[in-house]
Amino acid sequence: DAKTTQPNSMESNEEEPVHLPCNHSTISGTDYIHWYRQLPSQGPEYVIHGLTSNVNNRMASLAIAEDRKSSTLILHRATLRDAAVYYCILRLRVMDSNYQLIWGAGTKLIIKP
Amino acid sequence: EAQVTQNPRYLITVTGKKLTVTCSQNMNHEYMSWYRQDPGLGLRQIYYSMNVEVTDKGDVPEGYKVSRKEKRNFPLILESPSPNQTSLYFCASSYPGQLSPLHFGNGTRLTVT
């Protein structure tokens, strides 16, 4: 069964880069890697996704290992507003009409001022 | 503002008393889904809908019903709530496809006594 593994928590200083790792050794060729984050008392928020190549957007970068068994979410300059639980997720196509999300346990990111 | 709106945010009820949690999105998304979030279990899909009048079961549908009579609304119905349905519930919507980000509501915390 597909699953993801993440560290329970990480700490970083404000204005420094943060690298959040995720292992997904059981990933299959058509599974997309998605990252969401959840701020306190809010629903999950989309961050970034990728399949094979590294990806960048305004929020973060996603580095995907060549064998796709792991990935790293990179926040280039973390701010206090980035403190959240970050989820590494595999998005699987299970039928023509549905896409299952396999959620990791999440990494609680603590930003120190 | 593009958003998914859930109501109520908090709900305390007693076993067996029918309740409905509403979900509405203003992004013209075809795909909508309900999840429950429990400690240590991540988000688990309850029901999903690919479009109006098209719904199907997710991973944990027992004890829940849904309807999709309009594109923007996707209510979650608990005909006879039980204490094991105490949880944090999220509604989400997106365009169809494995790449489309999910937009989540802010959640409904349900307690069944």
Side-chain angles (χ1 to χ4, degrees):
Chain A
D1 288 346
K3 73 173 201 177
T4 67
T5 305
Q6 303 175 251
N8 289 333
S9 66
M10 291 184 65
E11 287 190 1
S12 179
N13 294 319
E14 196 175 12
E15 302 295 325
E16 290 185 355
V18 179
H19 291 235
L20 297 165
C22 180
N23 287 323
H24 30 77
S25 58
T26 56
I27 193 170
S28 71
T30 57
D31 298 342
Y32 279 80
I33 302 158
H34 286 241
W35 284 80
Y36 283 71
R37 70 180 185 181
Q38 189 172 18
L39 280 66
S41 301
Q42 293 188 25
E45 173 190 29
Y46 168 78
V47 177
I48 200 166
H49 75 269
L51 182 62
T52 57
S53 304
N54 294 345
V55 184
N56 301 296
N57 66 19
R58 64 175 179 82
M59 290 181 71
S61 296
L62 177 60
I64 302 172
E66 195 168 334
D67 63 5
R68 299 208 330 123
K69 294 183 184 300
S70 65
S71 61
T72 302
L73 179 71
I74 303 165
L75 307 178
H76 294 286
R77 289 182 67 192
T79 70
L80 295 176
R81 289 178 298 177
D82 291 320
V85 178
Y86 286 79
Y87 292 99
C88 171
I89 298 159
L90 298 183
R91 192 162 183 185
L92 322 178
R93 182 170 182 167
V94 293
M95 290 188 295
D96 286 344
S97 61
N98 196 21
Y99 303 91
Q100 185 180 14
L101 297 178
I102 306 296
W103 293 72
T107 297
K108 183 175 183 178
L109 177 62
I110 299 165
I111 304 297
K112 297 181 288 185
Chain B
E1 180 189 352
Q3 60 185 1
V4 177
T5 304
Q6 292 178 231
N7 280 298
R9 288 294 306 272
Y10 301 92
L11 180 58
I12 301 174
T13 190
V14 296
T15 300
K17 187 175 181 182
K18 180 179 178 180
L19 66 91
T20 299
V21 183
T22 64
C23 174
S24 180
Q25 51 93 5
N26 61 1
M27 294 166 280
N28 204 34
H29 286 160
E30 288 85 357
Y31 182 89
M32 297 186 75
S33 184
W34 275 102
Y35 299 87
R36 59 178 289 173
Q37 185 176 31
D38 301 290
L41 296 177
L43 270 76
R44 294 180 292 168
Q45 189 181 47
I46 303 170
Y47 269 93
Y48 68 96
S49 169
M50 279 304 297
N51 216 323
V52 176
E53 302 292 0
V54 180
T55 64
D56 211 340
K57 297 176 181 178
D59 298 318
V60 288
E62 294 77 20
Y64 305 95
K65 285 175 57 177
V66 293
S67 70
R68 187 92 181 271
K69 297 190 185 332
E70 304 166 284
K71 196 172 187 178
R72 63 183 292 124
N73 295 324
F74 190 45
L76 179 69
I77 303 156
L78 283 72
E79 294 271 1
S80 183
S82 62
N84 65 12
Q85 293 178 298
T86 293
S87 187
L88 180 58
Y89 291 87
F90 289 102
C91 179
S93 72
S94 76
Y95 293 113
Q98 203 169 355
L99 305 181
S100 300
L102 283 164
H103 297 257
F104 284 84
N106 280 331
T108 296
R109 185 167 292 282
L110 172 66
T111 302
V112 183
T113 61

